[in-house]
Amino acid sequence: MIVVHHLEASRSQRILWLLEELGLEYEVKRYNRDPKTMLAPASLRAVHPLGKSPVITDGDTTIAETGAIVEYLIEKYGEGRLIPPTGTDDRRRYSYWLHYAEGSAMPFLVMKLIFTEMPKQGPFFARPLLRMVGRQVGDKYLDPNIATHIRYWEDALANSTWFAGNDLTGADIMMSFPVEAANARGALRGNFPRINAFLAAAHARPAYQRALAKGGPYPYA
């Protein structure tokens, strides 16, 4: 039995979606964040030394990192589903977007969250200065970079509904997180019809809806 070690408000939501798309049986073991620090509990370190989510166990096999889990599940259980044929342009796009999602897209969005939340966590007397620093970093560095990435996504979807062709793949499941995060921050309010159509198509999938019902509210950090 596959067990998803599911930390609330974490990236493991994508793994639930993938498992639902593959029609696999699985168990969800839930972990709650510390209400003050928002960090994972120490019990998650018993599963993986870093104490991060997502982590899955499949028998005696333990796998961490969302991209690695996606690749493992599709390779072992996909039977050709959710991955383009070897040697095609779509397969190359699949590999690129699957790794791009965390490697290139998410760092700017995570930094945006950190600088937005930083004033709330700092000492009261320092909060005005922290807000000013956060605004400057956002205006001069983070926001322009995030905008560049979003325009890149929009252009990448010029000829297909999904990032690696006309069929949903694991790359789209990976890309759903940065797209959801950008949308939650109001960054998709401009002229981005293709990205918004991608998000709507993802939300409309029954497997996505089942995963949401099992995993709880979708996280955006």
Side-chain angles (χ1 to χ4, degrees):
M1 173 69 75
I2 297 169
V3 178
V4 181
H5 299 272
H6 179 63
L7 178 65
E8 63 175 337
S10 76
R11 288 162 163 81
S12 59
Q13 187 66 36
R14 283 178 294 188
I15 302 305
L16 302 185
W17 180 16
L18 174 60
L19 288 164
E20 291 291 338
E21 291 284 353
L22 292 173
L24 298 176
E25 293 186 4
Y26 62 95
E27 174 188 344
V28 178
K29 186 172 182 180
R30 299 178 183 277
Y31 299 82
N32 295 323
R33 294 180 182 271
D34 183 290
K36 293 184 178 179
T37 67
M38 295 305 293
L39 297 177
S43 56
L44 198 50
R45 292 192 179 90
V47 183
H48 188 275
L50 295 180
K52 300 293 184 181
S53 182
V55 179
I56 68 165
T57 50
D58 186 11
D60 295 331
T61 302
T62 300
I63 304 175
E65 292 295 336
T66 313
I69 296 170
V70 169
E71 288 185 311
Y72 170 83
L73 290 173
I74 290 177
E75 179 181 336
K76 185 171 182 179
Y77 298 108
E79 300 178 343
R81 294 171 293 170
L82 300 178
I83 185 170
T86 302
T88 63
D89 286 341
D90 285 350
R91 180 62 169 265
R92 176 187 55 78
R93 293 168 63 194
Y94 166 88
S95 296
Y96 173 77
W97 290 107
L98 188 143
H99 294 285
Y100 162 92
E102 290 290 341
S104 294
M106 281 307 300
F108 290 112
L109 292 162
V110 170
M111 283 190 286
K112 179 70 174 179
L113 176 68
I114 290 171
F115 278 95
T116 299
E117 294 296 318
M118 185 171 56
K120 303 175 186 178
Q121 306 299 325
F124 180 78
F125 65 87
R127 290 178 186 176
L129 177 60
L130 292 173
R131 278 194 292 269
M132 182 183 70
V133 170
R135 281 196 300 269
Q136 289 183 348
V137 172
D139 292 345
K140 296 181 179 179
Y141 177 66
L142 296 177
D143 293 347
N145 275 285
I146 291 170
T148 296
H149 279 266
I150 293 172
R151 175 53 58 185
Y152 180 48
W153 307 343
E154 181 73 11
D155 293 343
L157 293 173
N159 298 312
S160 61
T161 302
W162 306 103
F163 279 95
N166 291 318
D167 297 315
L168 177 81
T169 70
D172 300 298
I173 292 173
M174 286 296 296
M175 279 299 298
S176 68
F177 197 89
V179 173
E180 293 273 14
N183 186 52
R185 288 158 178 71
L188 301 185
R189 292 174 185 163
N191 186 26
F192 302 113
R194 297 169 191 149
I195 288 295
N196 281 288
F198 165 86
L199 201 56
H203 290 173
R205 294 187 71 85
Y208 181 100
Q209 295 169 17
R210 291 194 300 270
L212 200 64
K214 292 181 179 179
Y218 206 95
Y220 305 110

